[in-house]
Amino acid sequence: MWKLSVRSTSKEPHEYVLKQGRYVLGRHSGNDIVIDDESASRHHAEIVCQEDAILIRDLDSLNGTFVNRKLLTEPFALSIGDQIRIGFHVIRISSNADSRNNSSTENVDLSDTQPITRDLLIESVDKSSILLHEFTSRITTVLDLDLVLEEISNFLQTAIAADKCRVILGNQFDNIDSFDFSRSISEQAISKKSVIVIPDTYHIESISDSAHQLLIQTALCVPILLNKGAIGIIYAYKTDTNAPPFDQNDVQLSIAVSHQAALAIQRSQFIEQAKGFEQLALTDSLTGLDNRRKFIRDAKIEIERATRFNHPLSLMILDIDNFKSINDSFGHLIGDQVLISVARRLESNLRTIDLLARYGGDEFIIVLVEADYEYASTIGKRLLSSITSKPVKTDRGELEISISIGVAAVTKLQSNKSNPLGIADEALYAAKSAGKNQIKIVKVEKI
């Protein structure tokens, strides 16, 4: 007798044991083999089983029947291993002699594994391409790695009819016992970089851990390989003693899915790396504050918002008094320690909505969001006090530090091209000229 295994992206696989006779495949619920697929015709194809042969014929379907990727144009004699595609359903042909009752588990051991070679990976991806098409299209649009891995787990669990399926990343290997799976099977898959398939865990003496405690009947574990190393695993198992064990089709699909998981993890790493580069490009490496480029970008947004909603905005420029003398007297290392200390004190006296950046050298720049003259004056005095109230600790001892501040407090910005920066810069010059260690505020009704 012949056996058909029908797989799709949305339902568990279904097997049909065929006796001699005619079987109709299609979307109609009255068919012998129902293909619940919008791309399938109501009566799509027929299979005729004979004693020593099995034939398939397309029934003038709208989207065609494919055997081993070739469009079926005339009756075709099927062989074991042939693959039929109807829509996004894949049907594989096997012999009923390959049932679980005829597969011996007496001599199966964990060392009897299937290394994931390049050829096996290519073959697995190739044979699983139909099932993977819709699935990969979906996960490539998701940037959150946790969501992608959850999608992978759910898809594979359905596709291979597992009771449980999960992706475990490499940084979780030390806590693998907490994921309801066998440590011994996982370690074998990782160390050997091989697929581990256990038809019946109770016939393997080397498995004495949580596999038995979890009542795992049949198990599958696939390493996720990237750059020749195992960066994770995908495990699946069944607990039903009457459930068929995982077969080679399950293995090939799992390998193909593990490759998609590796690509998703690699994509996530690239995104995080890109974010890191972007952060470096927008951050002052010494103080950790935003740099000039980042400040100009964000300040433009705040100026546009204040203009649109007719809200006040204040802009501050400040620098450290006599900073050149500090560098000349104590060296640039001490000067850097002073800059870092000033940056931290400024941060601690501002709101999270305010913008603070190192503008260059010993200059810092601040945008006080929705801040009028009175608020800008209060904050300016607070910043002066925070710097002068206690000395800065350095490797050369404590240093007395002061700052000068120039502020443009604008009641109304008439255009997003308004430039309060020039006004604040002139105010800073005035504070320096007046003796330093003070604040000069220019009140502007509109600009």
Side-chain angles (χ1 to χ4, degrees), residues 6 13 39-41 45 81 112 125 131 168 188 231-232 288 322 332 349 375 390 397 406:
V6 182
S39 300
S41 298
D112 184 18
V125 171
L131 294 175
I168 302 177
Q188 287 284 334
I231 59 172
N322 306 313
H332 289 280
N349 285 280
Y375 184 79
K390 59 181 179 180

Side-chain angles (χ1 to χ4, degrees), residues 8-11 26-28 34-44 61-64 85-89 134:
S8 72
T9 60
S10 59
K11 292 185 178 180
R27 188 160 40 87
H28 191 273
V34 177
I35 306 298
D36 188 12
D37 193 311
E38 292 182 356
S39 300
S41 298
R42 289 172 60 83
H43 303 291
H44 197 101
S61 65
L62 180 63
N63 295 308
R85 178 172 73 83
I86 297 177
F88 286 102
H89 280 62
E134 182 183 359

Side-chain angles (χ1 to χ4, degrees), residues 114-134:
Q114 200 168 351
I116 300 181
T117 62
R118 181 176 179 272
D119 289 342
L120 178 58
L121 176 60
I122 292 173
E123 178 187 0
S124 298
V125 171
D126 181 63
K127 288 192 174 182
S128 305
S129 59
I130 302 302
L131 294 175
L132 289 177
H133 175 75
E134 182 183 359

Side-chain angles (χ1 to χ4, degrees), residues 281-404:
L282 299 175
T283 303
D284 174 56
S285 58
L286 176 65
T287 63
L289 299 178
D290 291 345
N291 62 15
R292 185 185 186 122
R293 178 190 300 177
K294 175 72 159 46
F295 176 84
I296 291 174
R297 187 182 74 181
D298 292 348
K300 181 181 178 182
I301 295 172
E302 290 302 334
I303 289 173
E304 289 177 348
R305 182 180 291 117
T307 302
R308 184 182 308 117
F309 297 107
N310 195 24
H311 289 172
L313 179 143
S314 295
L315 189 142
M316 290 183 170
I317 299 180
L318 62 91
D319 68 8
I320 301 171
D321 295 330
N322 306 313
F323 186 71
K324 184 177 182 301
S325 297
I326 295 174
N327 276 336
D328 292 344
S329 300
F330 301 102
H332 289 280
L333 179 61
I334 301 303
D336 288 348
Q337 292 175 358
V338 170
L339 286 169
I340 293 170
S341 178
V342 169
R344 298 290 82 78
R345 294 187 190 186
L346 295 177
E347 275 184 316
S348 65
N349 285 280
L350 295 173
R351 302 168 299 178
T352 56
I353 62 171
D354 297 324
L355 306 181
L356 168 65
R358 184 183 176 193
Y359 204 57
D362 64 326
E363 282 191 332
F364 296 85
I365 191 164
I366 300 167
V367 168
L368 299 176
V369 179
E370 298 192 17
D372 56 15
Y373 176 87
E374 287 74 18
Y375 184 79
S377 177
T378 299
I379 294 301
K381 293 174 182 178
R382 182 190 301 171
L383 295 179
L384 278 175
S385 175
S386 71
I387 300 300
T388 59
S389 60
K390 59 181 179 180
V392 172
K393 294 181 180 179
T394 73
D395 292 344
R396 297 287 295 274
E398 295 184 340
L399 298 179
E400 299 289 342
I401 303 296
S402 66
I403 60 174
S404 298

Side-chain angles (χ1 to χ4, degrees), residues 197-260:
V197 183
I198 311 296
D200 190 341
T201 63
Y202 290 91
H203 287 80
I204 302 178
E205 294 181 358
S206 58
I207 297 180
S208 59
D209 57 7
S210 56
H212 293 163
Q213 298 173 15
L214 294 166
L215 303 179
I216 295 176
Q217 183 68 30
T218 178
L220 181 152
C221 188
V222 185
I224 301 172
L225 303 180
L226 185 63
N227 298 327
K228 299 182 179 180
I231 59 172
I233 61 168
I234 300 177
Y235 73 79
Y237 63 76
K238 302 178 185 181
T239 57
D240 186 354
T241 56
N242 295 317
F246 297 115
D247 58 21
Q248 186 62 17
N249 293 329
D250 298 321
V251 169
Q252 288 182 326
L253 181 58
S254 299
I255 292 173
V257 170
S258 76
H259 181 59
Q260 296 303 317

Side-chain angles (χ1 to χ4, degrees), residues 4 22 39 46 76 91 147 164 195 224 267 297 379:
L4 301 185
R22 176 177 179 269
S39 300
E46 69 171 7
F76 181 83
I91 304 166
L147 291 178
K164 183 155 187 176
V195 182
I224 301 172
R267 184 173 72 247
R297 187 182 74 181
I379 294 301

Side-chain angles (χ1 to χ4, degrees), residues 19-296:
K19 301 178 181 179
Q20 292 188 42
R22 176 177 179 269
Y23 296 84
V24 178
L25 297 79
R27 188 160 40 87
H28 191 273
S29 59
N31 288 327
D32 302 294
I33 300 175
V34 177
I35 306 298
D36 188 12
D37 193 311
E38 292 182 356
S39 300
S41 298
R42 289 172 60 83
H43 303 291
H44 197 101
E46 69 171 7
I47 289 178
V48 178
C49 289
Q50 302 171 353
E51 186 173 348
D52 57 352
I54 179 170
L55 303 175
I56 184 170
R57 181 171 69 91
D58 185 75
L59 298 178
D60 296 324
S61 65
L62 180 63
N63 295 308
T65 302
F66 295 80
V67 177
N68 301 329
R69 297 194 175 180
K70 293 183 179 179
L71 180 64
L72 195 64
T73 57
E74 58 185 23
F76 181 83
L78 295 167
S79 302
I80 293 175
D82 281 344
Q83 178 175 286
I84 304 166
R85 178 172 73 83
I86 297 177
F88 286 102
H89 280 62
V90 174
I91 304 166
R92 289 192 173 96
I93 309 299
S94 62
S95 169
N96 197 41
D98 298 327
S99 65
R100 181 180 180 183
N101 293 332
N102 293 327
S103 61
S104 172
T105 58
E106 294 295 332
N107 298 317
V108 175
D109 189 81
L110 283 172
S111 60
D112 184 18
T113 61
Q114 200 168 351
I116 300 181
T117 62
R118 181 176 179 272
D119 289 342
L120 178 58
L121 176 60
I122 292 173
E123 178 187 0
S124 298
V125 171
D126 181 63
K127 288 192 174 182
S128 305
S129 59
I130 302 302
L131 294 175
L132 289 177
H133 175 75
E134 182 183 359
F135 168 67
T136 53
S137 299
R138 188 166 68 246
I139 66 171
T140 51
T141 62
V142 181
L143 298 180
D144 187 287
L145 182 59
D146 290 336
L147 291 178
V148 171
L149 298 183
E150 184 178 354
E151 282 273 344
I152 288 172
S153 300
N154 293 339
F155 166 77
L156 191 59
Q157 180 172 336
T158 298
I160 64 176
D163 291 332
K164 183 155 187 176
C165 181
R166 183 158 184 173
V167 179
I168 302 177
L169 298 181
N171 58 9
Q172 300 170 313
F173 285 166
D174 290 341
N175 299 319
I176 209 163
D177 291 325
S178 64
F179 290 100
D180 294 341
F181 193 59
S182 164
R183 173 176 287 276
S184 58
I185 297 175
S186 304
E187 289 176 346
Q188 287 284 334
I190 295 166
S191 63
K192 294 180 179 293
K193 299 175 186 175
S194 302
V195 182
I196 308 293
V197 183
I198 311 296
D200 190 341
T201 63
Y202 290 91
H203 287 80
I204 302 178
E205 294 181 358
S206 58
I207 297 180
S208 59
D209 57 7
S210 56
H212 293 163
Q213 298 173 15
L214 294 166
L215 303 179
I216 295 176
Q217 183 68 30
T218 178
L220 181 152
C221 188
V222 185
I224 301 172
L225 303 180
L226 185 63
N227 298 327
K228 299 182 179 180
I231 59 172
I233 61 168
I234 300 177
Y235 73 79
Y237 63 76
K238 302 178 185 181
T239 57
D240 186 354
T241 56
N242 295 317
F246 297 115
D247 58 21
Q248 186 62 17
N249 293 329
D250 298 321
V251 169
Q252 288 182 326
L253 181 58
S254 299
I255 292 173
V257 170
S258 76
H259 181 59
Q260 296 303 317
L263 294 178
I265 293 169
Q266 186 178 51
R267 184 173 72 247
S268 176
Q269 291 173 345
F270 286 154
I271 291 173
E272 289 302 315
Q273 190 177 50
K275 288 180 179 178
F277 289 147
E278 181 183 14
Q279 185 66 23
L280 287 174
L282 299 175
T283 303
D284 174 56
S285 58
L286 176 65
T287 63
L289 299 178
D290 291 345
N291 62 15
R292 185 185 186 122
R293 178 190 300 177
K294 175 72 159 46
F295 176 84
I296 291 174

